[in-house]
Amino acid sequence: MQTYRIARAAQLLGVSDDTVRRWVDQGLLPVTDSTPAEIPGDALAARALELADEATAQSDSLSSARNRFVGIVTRVQIEGLMAQIDIQAGPHRVVSLMSAEAARDLRLEIGSLATASVKATQVVIEVPKG
C-alpha cells in the first residue's frame, strides 16, 4: 500500500505539517511504525473525503456540481466585457473567465472569500512515473 510522509500528506490535504501531526496525535490519522512516520494512503484518502464533506456541509447553497473549491480571490482582471478571476484554494489555483458584469455583481475583489464550482464532462487523471 502507498504511504506518505507527514510533509507530503500535508501538501496533499492543503494544510500545514503541524496540522497533520496534530491529527495524528488526536487519532484522526494513523501512522505506520516506520521512521520517519508515514500515513497509509487509504487513511489519507478517507481524511481528504472527511475534509471535503466538512467544507460542503458549511456551504449555504445547494448545487449539482461536486467539484467545489473554497478559497480566496487572488486576482481580479476586468477588461472590456470580460473578467478573469483567480482563486487560491489550498494548493489549487482555479481560474474563471466570466463577464465583467458578473464579476461586478458578485463584488469580487482581492481577498474575497469565494467558491469555484467546476462541472465538466472530461477529467484527466495523472499519476507519477514509477
Side-chain angles (χ1 to χ4, degrees):
M1 176 191 324
Q2 178 82 40
T3 59
Y4 298 91
R5 290 188 177 180
I6 299 284
R8 181 69 171 141
Q11 181 184 35
L12 292 169
L13 294 175
V15 298
S16 70
D17 296 9
D18 289 337
T19 297
V20 172
R21 286 186 191 92
R22 190 170 44 256
W23 289 340
V24 168
D25 292 343
Q26 293 170 347
L28 296 172
L29 279 174
V31 291
T32 64
D33 292 331
S34 64
T35 303
E38 295 182 338
I39 298 168
D42 59 349
L44 190 63
R47 186 65 182 145
L49 290 174
E50 290 169 8
L51 293 173
D53 287 343
E54 289 173 13
T56 301
Q58 294 173 8
S59 174
D60 59 356
S61 62
L62 298 174
S63 173
S64 64
R66 294 295 175 241
N67 302 310
R68 299 170 51 86
F69 300 91
V70 178
I72 302 293
V73 174
T74 57
R75 180 179 182 199
V76 177
Q77 183 177 358
I78 298 176
E79 292 183 14
L81 297 174
M82 297 302 296
Q84 176 181 325
I85 309 300
D86 292 23
I87 295 175
Q88 193 67 40
H92 307 288
R93 176 177 168 244
V94 182
V95 178
S96 176
L97 301 177
M98 65 179 68
S99 70
E101 179 183 9
R104 287 185 191 102
D105 287 349
L106 292 171
R107 297 186 183 114
L108 294 171
E109 59 185 31
I110 293 174
S112 297
L113 178 65
T115 302
S117 298
V118 180
K119 191 158 187 172
T121 58
Q122 295 182 351
V123 176
V124 176
I125 304 292
E126 297 178 6
V127 297
K129 293 180 181 179

